[in-house]
Amino acid sequence: MMDRFTVVIFVLLVSCICRTLGQTCEGNCGKKIVLCSCHSTCTSLGNCCTDYREYCVEILPYSGSILGGTDFIVLDATFNNSSEIVCRFHDNIKTEGYVDENSRGHCISPLLYETGWVPLSISSDNGTTFNRTGAWLSVHTGKLDAKFKAILVNSTKWQYYGTTDVRGNLEMTWNTSLVRAERVNIELWGYRETGEPYTDSWLGEWAYLYSLAKDHPNSGSFSFLPKPAENGFSSWELGSLRISPSIYPDGMWNVQAAWTEDHALAWHLEEKFRQNSTVWALDKCVAWDQLENELPNFLSEIIDCPCTLAQARADTGRFHTDYGCDIEKGSVCTYHPGCVHCVRAIQASPTYAAGQQCCYDSTGAQVLTADSIGGSTPDRAHDWGSPPFKKPPRIPGQSHWVYDVLSFYYCCLWSDNCHFYFKHRPSSDCRRYKSPSSAVVFGDPHFITFDGVSYSFNGFGEYTLVTSFAKGLTIQGRTEPVNGTVKATQLTSVAMQETPSDIIEVRLVSGHNGLEVLQNQKTLSFSEQSWMDLHGVYVFSPTSSNVTVMFSSGAGVEVRLREGTMTTTVLLPEEFIDTTMGLLGQMNGDPKDDLALTNGELVQNLTNPEEVFSFGAGWAISNQSALFTYDSEYLFDTFLYAPRHDASFLPVFSIPENPNDPLANQTSEICSGPGSQFCRYDILVGRSPRMGNASKISFQSHISLEEDLKPVISCGWFSPPSNGKKEGTTYLQGAKVNLSCNEGFTLTGPSLRVCQWDGVWSGGDTKCVVPNNIPGIVAGSVIGAAALILMITTIVLLSRKQKQKQKRRDARTEEAETTDI
């Protein structure tokens, strides 16, 4: 007991001394000070200031809806029952927190107009001082896991309510733990954008409209029969329902709550909509068409779609799966019927913050709006928003709803007038699309450059994989020995930055059974969200063995964990041509200059492993350029305080050929075909069949990726002839389109058009024309006239003949009479 008391006194004494000397984390989070550290690495280094956890706070959960209302706990920090907690997001948005029965501090996240990490500071003296700091992750409603939001049961019914034959009760459900109350209010909140587009007056606004129920039991479900909104509220066409404790006044901002996703408020629109939804929607569609005519044209600055589904899924630096149409999750493509998968351009366009959406059918062909209502559509406002967010058209989700989704309801879903919508949102075909180039590092480490040169480099140290001064991109790799007895190394960490983005590092965790992601030397958790908007970079990690990093330039880095080893793939768009250097070569289509030293000299003999090894060693980084995190004594001693390339480590350069090797049979079984030399090295030198198998898989994956990214020729959309139709909606090289005419028209020109190697459709113009019958008419007229003349002549001749006969009869009669006399 006395020993414990002594320890407590000692800790308090040290804390007092630290505070006296200014060694406190209050106001110093993220810094390394003289006697201790308030930097995030201090926990692993064991040199944190004693009050680190008190002031540099962690929270749980760390993320929630952009709409706010999430109740989160402040971990480790000390509060008492008299603490008056105020939580501040950025420097201007405040919410009221509280202390629970276990003396834990709580904050409530606010309604925001941005996604990503938001600076958080916490006061326990009612806002007088904000001395605790942390960060909150604001998440797009569509990307938020279903367990964190209220659910619209049969959401299609909600958004078609009031159209033909869609009536009856609507139902919603929620997890009761999201709202700590016995009774709740069900409120409708609306969103709109006001002011002149693309001016400083253009603003987004969330507002409380009215309550559907008050003092309702927090049972986790609510059902009601909708009726048209009163007091002009039906003019709000986009919104969300909020479930919040009934102890708060109606519409109180930033209280604990569960929200539904934002949706079209068909169910509360005016009676006129219910009487004739088609006519109502057409009026709205025409008004939207007129507005679009007045707004700037954004189509010229958005990126073109990939030509095929394979390209779209492989180009991970520039395109990412659209959560609304995902082949991995059953292809529920509500807004793109007939499609199985859609992707969105990750980056919004530079001037107008516009987006691009590309959709594909089961054959892998891009679907175009000129052929189908489910076609690919560009967006005036990128669905995921765009930094600096906060104002239209950059507000995540809602700006996209206002300018691109509600109009789709007006013109396509609530009426049959899609031609208005597609006039302003035509699909981009892929004639200008250029696939990225890819390079890879895998196994003991083996390299395949952007221009296809393959080699192995088993250096021990930290090296430049790719650097592009023109683009500000740097990617570095750390290699370490496979184990203490094997003279071979493997990739254990990759650090990267595209100035001025955050620094992202992906490294093997202890035990090599997972990947760890660090942002500016602080570990990121993906336990709640798989996608994170960071500064100048996005990170996607659906599992602990799969990380994709996406930079503003379109550069992408994929890190995959296979059998305890890292495989790193780098994808660079064509803008990087002639700008890259490093172990992954010069991206210019010329493999002869890929292995260039830092001074520009080329490796003369690629088959000489010692010369290649010397080349690799030359790309060791310096202390000044290092992007890695050094948060252990091992990393300090091995890399930071030592040469970045360990010249004393000499690997085995060639694969030993020993038929008596106990691994020889496994090697023969596992390693075969192209790339087998990498697999064989990893087994026979690295002494690891698992690593050999992983290298085989990684090599095959890279070959498949290269195949998926192969350029394809597109001839562009082919329109059917006027008064005709076509069969075929694929427009890539070799595709055929059959043409025919409607009844009553004749085809002139070829009936079959083929997309040729030069991107031009075969044959001349094909037209459908009215049959030309003038020669027939003339011939008929001539024949008719001749027949008429013949008839008249015949009649005249017959008449004359009859007259002559009559004269002869008359003459004989007269002669007979004379004889009788």
Side-chain angles (χ1 to χ4, degrees):
M1 180 70 181
M2 189 66 183
D3 289 342
R4 183 177 179 185
F5 179 75
T6 304
V7 169
V8 171
I9 293 298
F10 176 76
V11 170
L12 291 174
L13 183 61
V14 170
S15 177
C16 182
I17 293 171
C18 287
R19 287 175 178 275
T20 303
L21 297 175
Q23 304 303 302
T24 173
C25 288
E26 185 176 5
N28 289 316
C29 290
K31 300 177 183 178
K32 297 175 183 177
I33 44 186
V34 179
L35 297 181
C36 56
S37 175
C38 302
H39 192 272
S40 57
T41 56
C42 75
T43 54
S44 54
L45 291 172
N47 63 347
C48 295
C49 297
T50 55
D51 59 3
Y52 173 68
R53 293 293 189 187
E54 185 71 30
Y55 293 105
C56 308
V57 299
E58 298 291 332
I59 61 176
L60 184 72
Y62 62 78
S63 64
S65 170
I66 188 175
L67 301 178
T70 302
D71 183 326
F72 59 86
I73 301 170
V74 184
L75 302 175
D76 300 320
T78 304
F79 298 91
N80 56 53
N81 293 333
S82 63
S83 297
E84 297 179 88
I85 297 179
V86 176
C87 309
R88 185 174 66 189
F89 300 79
H90 285 302
D91 292 324
N92 57 346
I93 303 172
K94 297 178 182 179
T95 64
E96 184 178 326
Y98 65 95
V99 178
D100 66 19
E101 62 277 6
N102 298 313
S103 299
R104 299 180 303 182
H106 291 246
C107 287
I108 307 297
S109 68
L111 188 153
L112 296 165
Y113 294 86
E114 62 180 309
T115 55
W117 287 102
V118 177
L120 165 68
S121 55
I122 301 170
S123 169
S124 57
D125 56 11
N126 200 29
T128 302
T129 58
F130 288 87
N131 53 3
R132 294 178 173 90
T133 59
W136 168 253
L137 184 64
S138 174
V139 183
H140 187 295
T141 57
K143 294 181 178 179
L144 191 70
D145 192 286
K147 64 188 176 188
F148 295 119
K149 55 191 172 186
I151 304 299
L152 303 176
V153 178
N154 190 354
S155 60
T156 301
K157 182 178 180 180
W158 282 76
Q159 300 189 72
Y160 278 86
Y161 199 94
T163 60
T164 306
D165 297 328
V166 183
R167 295 291 190 274
N169 279 12
L170 294 177
E171 183 183 0
M172 57 187 289
T173 62
W174 64 92
N175 184 334
T176 57
S177 67
L178 296 175
V179 185
R180 290 161 52 103
E182 292 185 1
R183 307 192 75 80
V184 295
N185 293 343
I186 315 294
E187 302 173 337
L188 175 64
W189 288 62
Y191 179 84
R192 65 184 175 188
E193 292 184 353
T194 58
E196 184 179 349
Y198 304 105
T199 69
D200 290 340
S201 67
W202 199 10
L203 299 173
E205 175 192 8
W206 275 101
Y208 166 76
L209 302 185
Y210 56 87
S211 292
L212 292 174
K214 296 184 180 181
D215 208 32
H216 180 79
N218 187 12
S219 59
S221 67
F222 174 67
S223 176
F224 70 106
L225 182 66
K227 61 181 182 179
E230 300 174 350
N231 302 322
F233 286 128
S234 66
S235 64
W236 295 75
E237 298 168 7
L238 171 64
S240 178
L241 289 166
R242 189 180 85 166
I243 302 98
S244 58
S246 57
I247 60 172
Y248 297 115
D250 293 348
M252 183 173 176
W253 287 77
N254 302 328
V255 300
Q256 184 187 20
W259 294 81
T260 66
E261 280 194 42
D262 35 356
H263 60 280
L265 302 178
W267 52 271
H268 96 149
L269 295 179
E270 60 185 327
E271 184 63 35
K272 185 179 177 182
F273 175 77
R274 298 188 179 194
Q275 292 171 354
N276 195 328
S277 58
T278 301
V279 172
W280 185 94
L282 175 59
D283 289 343
K284 290 283 186 176
C285 178
V286 171
W288 173 81
D289 171 57
Q290 294 171 347
L291 172 63
E292 281 289 316
N293 289 331
E294 299 170 3
L295 296 178
N297 188 328
F298 64 89
L299 297 175
S300 61
E301 70 167 12
I302 56 176
I303 187 173
D304 262 21
C305 286
C307 292
T308 66
L309 176 59
Q311 285 180 334
R313 299 188 72 187
D315 192 350
T316 52
R318 293 182 292 180
F319 294 91
H320 188 77
T321 299
D322 180 8
Y323 52 82
C325 183
D326 184 355
I327 197 172
E328 299 292 339
K329 297 181 178 178
S331 300
V332 182
C333 306
T334 303
Y335 302 117
H336 297 277
C339 296
V340 299
H341 194 73
C342 294
V343 297
R344 290 190 183 274
I346 294 167
Q347 305 294 334
S349 69
T351 303
Y352 298 113
Q356 177 66 282
Q357 186 184 42
C358 313
C359 297
Y360 303 85
D361 64 19
S362 58
T363 70
Q366 186 192 0
V367 181
L368 304 180
T369 53
D371 296 322
S372 167
I373 188 177
S376 313
T377 49
D379 299 314
R380 179 169 293 281
H382 196 299
D383 184 21
W384 304 338
S386 176
F389 304 109
K390 299 180 183 177
K391 291 185 60 176
R394 299 179 180 273
I395 296 174
Q398 283 83 60
S399 288
H400 173 61
W401 261 104
V402 169
Y403 283 89
D404 302 295
V405 184
L406 282 177
S407 47
F408 189 75
Y409 277 87
Y410 300 152
C411 302
C412 298
L413 300 184
W414 291 341
S415 73
D416 189 18
N417 294 283
C418 260
H419 60 282
F420 282 108
Y421 188 81
F422 293 145
K423 179 175 71 172
H424 300 288
R425 301 291 187 270
S427 295
S428 124
D429 60 30
C430 64
R431 282 179 289 178
R432 293 181 300 163
Y433 173 77
K434 302 293 182 185
S435 296
S437 296
S438 65
V440 66
V441 187
F442 61 96
D444 263 350
H446 313 295
F447 297 75
I448 301 178
T449 69
F450 294 106
D451 296 336
V453 175
S454 60
Y455 68 94
S456 297
F457 168 61
N458 271 264
F460 176 12
E462 295 176 342
Y463 308 92
T464 297
L465 300 181
V466 181
T467 184
S468 172
F469 296 112
K471 298 294 182 180
L473 176 68
T474 300
I475 305 173
Q476 299 172 348
R478 174 187 293 152
T479 59
E480 300 178 62
V482 173
N483 58 47
T485 60
V486 173
K487 287 296 184 180
T489 58
Q490 63 177 328
L491 193 67
T492 58
S493 185
V494 180
M496 61 205 88
Q497 181 183 34
E498 186 175 86
T499 308
S501 77
D502 289 335
I503 297 172
I504 303 299
E505 183 177 355
V506 184
R507 64 187 185 185
L508 287 171
V509 299
S510 177
H512 292 193
N513 59 356
L515 297 173
E516 181 181 38
V517 183
L518 297 94
Q519 171 202 17
N520 299 332
Q521 304 186 3
K522 181 178 181 179
T523 301
L524 290 174
S525 169
F526 288 88
S527 61
E528 296 174 14
Q529 308 298 332
S530 60
W531 174 281
M532 289 193 189
D533 301 346
L534 307 177
H535 178 61
V537 61
Y538 301 96
V539 180
F540 176 65
S541 182
T543 69
S544 62
S545 61
N546 185 331
V547 178
T548 302
V549 183
M550 300 147 276
F551 291 102
S552 298
S553 65
V557 181
E558 298 177 355
V559 184
R560 304 291 183 260
L561 179 65
R562 295 190 177 106
E563 302 285 359
T565 65
M566 285 176 65
T567 295
T568 299
T569 300
V570 180
L571 298 108
L572 298 181
E574 63 174 339
E575 290 81 4
F576 281 83
I577 290 176
D578 289 325
T579 72
T580 68
M581 300 174 68
L583 294 180
L584 293 177
Q586 301 187 53
M587 193 181 95
N588 58 7
D590 181 7
K592 295 191 295 295
D593 64 4
D594 270 13
L595 271 59
L597 304 176
T598 53
N599 61 7
E601 292 183 12
L602 301 179
V603 171
Q604 299 301 310
N605 186 0
L606 296 181
T607 62
N608 185 330
E610 285 85 357
E611 189 174 349
V612 171
F613 185 78
S614 179
F615 149 76
W619 281 105
I621 66 175
S622 65
N623 273 2
Q624 292 75 20
S625 65
L627 301 177
F628 294 99
T629 300
Y630 304 96
D631 55 358
S632 70
E633 293 299 326
Y634 166 76
L635 293 175
F636 276 120
D637 296 340
T638 309
F639 299 103
L640 187 61
Y641 299 144
R644 295 309 173 103
H645 170 74
D646 187 347
S648 67
F649 183 87
L650 289 178
V652 175
F653 290 118
S654 58
I655 302 173
E657 300 294 339
N658 179 5
N660 296 320
D661 189 319
L663 294 177
N665 288 337
Q666 277 185 278
T667 303
S668 298
E669 292 173 3
I670 296 173
C671 308
S672 61
S676 60
Q677 72 273 22
F678 304 129
C679 173
R680 288 172 54 79
Y681 183 95
D682 293 355
I683 296 177
L684 296 176
V685 177
R687 312 307 296 170
S688 174
R690 290 181 66 218
M691 185 179 291
N693 189 57
S695 286
K696 176 183 177 180
I697 295 171
S698 294
F699 178 82
Q700 291 172 342
S701 295
H702 181 71
I703 298 304
S704 296
L705 177 67
E706 290 280 278
E707 185 66 28
D708 290 342
L709 289 174
K710 271 187 177 178
V712 296
I713 302 299
S714 171
C715 292
W717 179 70
F718 193 95
S719 62
S722 297
N723 303 306
K725 50 185 177 290
K726 67 175 183 181
E727 292 181 10
T729 55
T730 303
Y731 310 112
L732 305 184
Q733 183 179 356
K736 298 177 181 179
V737 175
N738 291 291
L739 306 172
S740 59
C741 292
N742 299 334
E743 187 176 350
F745 294 86
T746 301
L747 188 76
T748 64
S751 61
L752 175 67
R753 305 289 291 275
V754 180
C755 180
Q756 303 175 117
W757 63 270
D758 57 357
V760 176
W761 289 100
S762 66
D765 288 343
T766 302
K767 296 180 180 179
C768 292
V769 298
V770 177
N772 190 346
N773 292 324
I774 293 176
I777 293 172
V778 171
S781 300
V782 170
I783 293 171
L788 181 62
I789 292 170
L790 179 62
M791 289 174 61
I792 293 172
T793 302
T794 302
I795 292 171
V796 170
L797 290 174
L798 287 173
S799 176
R800 288 178 179 177
K801 191 173 182 180
Q802 288 295 331
K803 287 180 179 181
Q804 289 175 353
K805 286 182 177 180
Q806 185 63 40
K807 284 181 179 181
R808 284 196 292 271
R809 283 196 295 270
D810 291 345
R812 284 196 293 270
T813 302
E814 185 178 351
E815 182 178 353
E817 290 175 350
T818 304
T819 302
D820 291 339
I821 293 173

